[in-house]
Amino acid sequence: MAGVPEVRLVPHTHWDREWYEPFQRFRLRLVDLLDEVLDRAEADERFRFTLDGQMAAVDDYLEVRPENRDRVAALVAAGRLAVGPWQILLDEFLVSGENIVRNLEIGWARAEDLGGAMRVGYLPDEFGHCAQMPQILAAAGFEHACLWRGVPSGVEGHAFRWTAPDGSSVRTEYLAHGYGNAAYVLSDPGFFAERMTALGHRERGRFGDDPVLAMYGTDHSAPVGSLVKLVADLDPAQVDVRIATLGDYVAAVAASEPTSVVIGELRSHAAANILPGVLSIRPQLKQVMAEAERLVERYAEPFAALWSAEWPARFLDLAWWRLVDASGHDSVTGCGVDDTATQVFARISEAAHLGQAVRDRVVGRLARSVSRDAFLAVNPSPERRRDLVTVEVEVPDDWPSVAVEMPDGTLLPAQVESRTDPALHEETATGEDLALFLPRVHGRELFGQEITGWRCDPEARVLEFGVARHGGEAPFDVEAVRAAIVGRTGSWTIRITQATRAVVTGLVDVPPLGWTSARVVRADAPTEGSLSNGLLTVEVREDGTLRLTSADGTVLDGVGAIVDGGDRGDLYNYAPPWRNTLVTEPDLVVVEPGLSGPLRSTVSITRTYSWPEAVDWDEDSRTTARVTGTVRMDVELRAGEPFARLDLTIDNRSRDHRVRCHVPLARPATTSHAEGQFAVVERGRTAEGGFSEHPTPTFPAHGFVDAGGAGVLLTQACEYELLDDALAVTVLRTSGQLSRNVHPYREEPAGPQIPTPLAQQIGVTTVRFAVQPHAGDWQDAALLAHAERYRHPVHPALGEGDPDTALATATGLSVEGAVLTSLRRREGALELRVVAQSPDPATTVVRGPFTAARRVDLLGRPGEEVPVADGALTLSLRPWEIATLRVA
């Protein structure tokens, strides 16, 4: 280390696509910046620039400056402009694992198309890193990563070996002082030489014999125009500085094997803020993201891959572009201004609409092969499902009960939950005006149904139409009606009656990733039901909470307790007021019994609270003024499910507070297990601190969280904390400031101090989850399987085909011994991704319509062939291994 310090200066920008300004306002600045960068790079071949590891910045620029594509491509190909490999710098905990893979896939392809992607998994500003990221990178061919936040205190030097749960790893360059450790060196060019020399000497202890990495850039910044000349004018006897891209630097130090090894997720506060409050702010963004991901990943793509004659590639690409765009670390997190959050919500909603459209087209075409007096059920899971579906079908009033007839003649239980009134519509008109009603008839359609018959009764002065979902075979001619009402006088009644329809919930048996048709038929008298299904008993306590008792005797007492407290933090970090007021007891509890059937029973519990209106900033306490807050908890218990479904509807009128729902533990626990991003992560009850941020022990979960015999199945990414006696799930957190300059839990601002009134969440917020009491651990309780059932319901549709069509069923593709995370068509084959989400090795068997198979990496590059026999292949997977297959 003796001698002149060697420094690699990496000019770059960190481009937050949308944040404290919305996307289009930031893009105007992006275009100016890249215009300048291109001019400088072309003027001097010594200039280098690293464009933040995300192709979104390039795409956003070229959409405005398409004429500059060749200029960009030439600089990329020459190695002077580093782009990719990501499409966007994401938040790793608020999206699915598949979203992360598609982000890398899209960004890599775009960068390669422009001349070549940077071979570094650059993750400079993510608010912590998920456990499986090293495997994702390694499985895509990466050997290196580079990041800042979340690294624990024990790491020595400027790099570490980052290892995923499956054992795969990447060498990781550690930006210990952030992605702008040299951002200040040119704030005054007159001090450039002095500052570069000082930086080189100061950092030599950490870098050893390797060159010092100096990241020259920060948020939305461009390098000074005199950069190249200033570097050239430096005295090499004082400091050896060379301008490089990040890829150049990593390649130069690649042979230097780090001594530190870190396994799993990076969520330490020791050396940088990880801003955990973003997990719970603006919950509607997390909810719509999860819904859209499931629609695209588990319904649209698999259904189209297996059951559509054509592959709707462009529609699915559009959906994924929107999901990936919205996954940005300042987007789905909700930590931007209100305008940004509004735009992100709309973008994710578009992805959901695209997923719905593809799903419904595939299902609609299948429904045309199903009799119109039957219904279709399509299974999104790769294993056979016996599950409930709810359909509205025509059921005669005199049927004592109903059942579901399957294609093999088996009758499965069903229950009628409600019936429609046969009297659909009635109005009066003079005889002379009867004809004015006829424009409401469109062909055979009237009031959204089809006309089955009509009559004109001159004596009773009644014109009556019968309607049903299908009009039948008898012809209908509106001109015949017109002729019958000509010349009528006096006061007439126009009446529309409809065939009696009923909402029926019934069991169906559906093959893996397949479909079945079924029919609602008459059955004997119904069986009485209760809030007990043999697997779980639900009791409502006087305070409106629940007592859940499982078949093995595990009891969770007090499920659903609501705890409201003040929050004087901001969008990034929770912080309680100095004098906090917790509200735990409701003023009023109203219990409304609902359904009580053999298959589905419900009860609704509405609790009314007096919550402090806001935070009193002068007193650093909650106000004495109170407002009414209500929490409605709809509880549902289904046959065959060992968990209770809870839907919370929160009507909020309070500002700057946090509402948590407590799920009591059945037994003491010191650790929790949370599913997300291809892994189940074990966490303790504390978080490592050491930097400027209070290490709040709140953590993310995506599919489920489990501790002490209390399993919580989730429909969206959320924040939780393991307390002494409960899991506390944050269901609402509100704040009126993007960041606060003075924050009791954080020393430095996380952004500008800008009001965010919409983040106060005034109005109604909904949160859905399920609770399962159990003995043993999360594996013993089969929480992965139950989360699959809860999160991915069987999808029903009414038949549209010939009434003489027989009931039928068809099998798609099955997976045993692993979790299926993706199924699509790619390059003329079926591509599927499976994960061994277990700490034990797994033998995975895949069965389906294929005769050949090959493993591919996460970017689709071919690997070894996999033997196929009788339509089945077998894989031996490491614990937590992600495997991608092409089958044909």
Side-chain angles (χ1 to χ4, degrees):
M1 295 195 310
V4 175
E6 186 180 350
V7 179
R8 295 290 186 271
L9 187 66
V10 177
H12 75 101
T13 187
H14 174 56
W15 199 264
D16 298 297
R17 192 171 186 250
E18 51 197 354
W19 177 25
Y20 61 82
E21 291 187 1
F23 163 56
Q24 297 295 358
R25 289 180 61 85
F26 270 145
R27 174 149 71 172
L28 190 66
R29 295 161 61 177
L30 172 70
V31 171
D32 291 342
L33 182 148
L34 288 184
D35 280 346
E36 186 178 336
V37 165
L38 294 185
D39 288 344
R40 290 181 187 171
E42 291 171 336
D44 194 324
E45 65 180 14
R46 296 170 293 177
F47 182 85
R48 301 286 186 274
F49 195 76
T50 298
L51 194 47
D52 207 30
Q54 53 178 336
M55 284 301 298
V58 180
D59 293 333
D60 294 342
Y61 174 74
L62 291 180
E63 190 174 18
V64 177
R65 296 272 196 267
E67 68 277 10
N68 286 346
R69 185 190 184 282
D70 290 346
R71 296 176 66 194
V72 171
L75 291 170
V76 171
R80 291 154 56 196
L81 178 64
V83 298
W86 299 99
Q87 179 60 25
I88 204 161
L89 295 180
L90 72 161
D91 185 279
E92 297 174 31
F93 293 98
L94 295 177
V95 299
S96 68
E98 194 60 30
N99 197 327
I100 298 173
V101 172
R102 302 302 178 94
N103 186 337
L104 186 57
E105 178 185 297
I106 293 170
W108 177 269
R110 293 286 299 116
E112 288 292 285
D113 187 52
L114 273 176
M118 182 169 66
R119 267 59 177 171
V120 180
Y122 186 46
L123 301 161
D125 198 27
E126 282 77 349
F127 307 149
H129 303 277
C130 67
Q132 289 281 39
M133 183 58 79
Q135 184 180 180
I136 291 171
L137 292 172
F142 287 82
E143 297 179 358
H144 303 277
C146 179
L147 52 82
W148 170 29
R149 301 184 193 265
V151 178
S153 58
V155 169
E156 299 178 351
H158 66 97
F160 60 94
R161 176 63 57 180
W162 187 17
T163 303
D166 78 311
S168 56
S169 67
V170 287
R171 183 190 181 279
T172 302
E173 195 65 32
Y174 176 29
L175 303 174
H177 303 299
Y179 52 80
N181 69 320
Y184 65 95
V185 295
L186 280 162
S187 58
D188 185 338
F191 291 95
F192 177 60
E194 177 183 333
R195 289 172 175 174
M196 286 304 302
T197 302
L199 184 149
H201 283 288
R202 184 173 62 250
E203 292 287 351
R204 290 177 77 181
R206 193 163 64 87
F207 282 83
D209 294 331
D210 293 332
V212 171
L213 174 60
M215 298 292 289
Y216 168 49
T218 188
D219 298 354
H220 309 117
S221 68
V224 299
S226 56
L227 171 66
V228 174
K229 182 178 186 306
L230 286 168
V231 171
D233 290 345
L234 289 171
D235 182 356
Q238 298 297 317
V239 61
D240 178 7
V241 178
R242 304 177 198 178
I243 299 174
T245 66
L246 180 62
D248 294 337
Y249 176 81
V250 169
V253 298
S256 174
E257 181 60 26
T259 58
S260 295
V261 176
V262 180
I263 300 173
E265 70 176 2
L266 305 178
R267 288 199 63 82
S268 171
H269 307 252
N273 296 338
I274 63 169
L275 311 171
V278 301
L279 299 172
S280 53
I281 206 71
R282 302 192 200 266
Q284 72 275 16
L285 293 180
K286 287 69 171 175
Q287 185 176 72
V288 71
M289 173 61 86
E291 290 172 352
E293 287 174 333
R294 286 195 297 272
L295 274 167
V296 176
E297 294 174 18
R298 298 302 307 277
Y299 291 88
E301 282 193 336
F303 287 8
L306 291 169
W307 303 113
S308 177
E310 70 279 348
W311 176 245
R314 187 56 182 154
F315 287 96
L316 293 169
D317 287 348
L318 289 171
W320 274 114
W321 273 82
R322 282 155 176 78
L323 287 173
V324 168
D325 278 354
S327 72
H329 65 287
D330 295 306
S331 301
V332 69
T333 48
C335 58
V337 292
D338 289 345
D339 282 349
T340 294
T342 299
Q343 187 175 32
V344 171
F345 186 89
R347 191 181 307 140
I348 302 172
S349 297
E350 281 192 32
H353 300 157
L354 287 159
Q356 288 172 343
V358 172
R359 178 202 65 187
D360 292 350
R361 172 168 287 188
V362 175
V363 171
R365 288 174 176 171
L366 288 174
R368 294 208 255 320
S369 67
V370 174
S371 171
R372 67 183 61 169
D373 68 348
F375 65 89
L376 172 75
V378 191
N379 182 5
S381 300
E383 61 272 341
R384 179 172 288 274
R385 293 266 296 268
R386 176 166 287 194
D387 210 341
L388 295 182
V389 296
T390 299
V391 292
E392 188 177 67
V393 294
E394 293 173 7
V395 174
D397 289 329
D398 60 354
W399 284 11
S401 187
V402 293
V404 173
E405 180 186 5
M406 299 303 297
D408 63 0
T410 301
L411 295 183
L412 298 178
Q415 67 185 52
V416 173
E417 299 187 346
S418 64
R419 292 179 183 269
T420 59
D421 188 340
L424 179 60
H425 176 74
E426 187 170 296
E427 63 183 75
T428 59
T430 65
E432 294 84 356
D433 289 342
L434 286 175
L436 298 179
F437 181 82
L438 297 184
R440 302 190 198 181
V441 178
H442 304 94
R444 192 168 200 138
E445 182 271 329
L446 177 62
F447 281 32
Q449 300 187 60
E450 292 186 1
I451 295 172
T452 57
W454 64 279
R455 69 184 182 94
C456 178
D457 186 341
E459 292 186 8
R461 292 184 177 175
V462 171
L463 175 62
E464 183 172 348
F465 296 88
V467 297
R469 182 167 163 261
H470 290 286
E473 302 301 324
F476 170 75
D477 182 6
V478 72
E479 294 306 319
V481 180
R482 193 184 308 277
I485 61 177
V486 170
R488 304 299 179 183
T489 60
S491 179
W492 281 66
T493 297
I494 302 172
R495 183 179 299 139
I496 305 173
T497 60
Q498 61 183 342
T500 302
R501 296 196 310 279
V503 175
V504 175
T505 294
L507 280 173
V508 290
D509 197 353
V510 196
L513 280 166
W515 60 269
T516 188
S517 56
R519 181 180 288 111
V520 174
V521 297
R522 178 179 175 135
D524 295 330
T527 304
E528 292 299 320
S530 66
L531 282 180
S532 178
N533 62 3
L535 300 174
L536 183 67
T537 299
V538 180
E539 301 169 75
V540 181
R541 293 161 38 109
E542 188 175 341
D543 62 358
T545 63
L546 306 174
R547 178 183 172 91
L548 305 184
T549 306
S550 67
D552 60 26
T554 302
V555 176
L556 305 181
D557 205 0
V559 171
I562 297 298
V563 178
D564 168 75
D567 186 346
R568 55 101 65 237
D570 51 31
L571 303 189
Y572 289 95
N573 294 81
Y574 161 81
W578 182 60
R579 285 189 293 271
N580 198 6
T581 301
L582 296 181
V583 179
T584 60
E585 298 297 325
D587 300 330
L588 179 66
V589 177
V590 177
V591 179
E592 302 172 86
L595 298 170
S596 182
L599 298 179
R600 198 164 76 94
S601 298
T602 62
V603 63
S604 294
I605 305 157
T606 301
R607 286 167 286 176
T608 303
Y609 297 86
S610 294
W611 287 337
E613 184 176 22
V615 166
D616 185 329
W617 298 98
D618 294 330
E619 299 294 329
D620 199 2
S621 66
R622 303 189 78 183
T623 60
T624 57
R626 300 287 178 122
V627 294
T628 298
T630 62
V631 179
R632 177 185 173 98
M633 184 165 67
D634 295 317
V635 184
E636 179 183 353
L637 185 61
R638 297 185 176 189
E641 293 184 345
F643 51 84
R645 297 167 180 254
L646 309 183
D647 290 4
L648 270 60
T649 303
I650 305 165
D651 191 352
N652 175 55
R653 296 289 178 266
S654 184
R655 301 189 302 277
D656 297 303
H657 67 133
R658 181 179 71 174
V659 181
R660 303 209 285 188
C661 183
H662 283 203
V663 178
L665 308 181
R667 51 189 178 271
T670 57
T671 62
S672 64
H673 290 85
E675 192 279 339
Q677 298 79 41
F678 304 137
V680 177
V681 178
E682 183 177 11
R683 302 184 177 112
R685 291 190 54 197
T686 61
E688 183 185 29
F691 192 59
S692 73
E693 181 179 58
H694 179 75
T696 305
T698 54
F699 299 101
H702 198 270
F704 69 76
V705 58
D706 180 66
V712 182
L713 312 180
L714 303 169
T715 59
Q716 66 188 70
C718 76
E719 168 191 278
Y720 76 91
E721 181 178 356
L722 176 58
L723 306 178
D724 288 339
D725 57 356
L727 280 168
V729 178
T730 304
V731 292
L732 183 69
R733 192 174 80 82
T734 76
S735 179
Q737 288 285 339
L738 186 147
S739 176
R740 294 192 187 277
N741 295 333
V742 179
H743 192 299
Y745 275 15
R746 193 185 63 236
E747 292 297 329
E748 58 185 12
Q753 190 163 286
I754 298 174
T756 54
L758 293 184
Q760 295 286 14
Q761 300 294 132
I762 302 299
V764 173
T765 296
T766 60
V767 181
R768 298 178 178 87
F769 56 90
V771 179
Q772 178 182 338
H774 63 86
D777 61 17
W778 64 272
Q779 290 179 279
D780 299 325
L783 289 189
L784 277 173
H786 295 149
E788 169 70 21
R789 179 187 182 105
Y790 175 60
R791 291 161 57 87
H792 306 114
V794 172
H795 183 72
L798 297 178
E800 298 286 350
D802 189 312
D804 295 328
T805 304
L807 297 179
T809 187
T811 298
L813 181 144
S814 69
V815 177
E816 300 169 19
V819 174
L820 178 74
T821 67
S822 173
L823 175 63
R824 58 175 166 166
R825 290 186 202 168
R826 196 174 184 197
E827 298 182 9
L830 287 177
E831 182 183 275
L832 64 146
R833 195 161 3 263
V834 295
V835 184
Q837 278 196 272
S838 167
D840 303 311
T843 298
T844 300
V845 179
V846 181
R847 294 182 175 86
F850 53 84
T851 57
R854 179 184 295 276
R855 292 191 71 152
V856 297
D857 74 3
L858 283 191
L859 297 178
R861 295 171 295 214
E864 63 183 8
E865 291 186 1
V866 179
V868 176
D870 300 322
L873 64 85
T874 301
L875 287 177
S876 296
L877 299 180
R878 302 185 303 274
W880 311 109
E881 182 180 357
I882 304 167
T884 307
L885 297 158
R886 292 264 178 88
V887 298

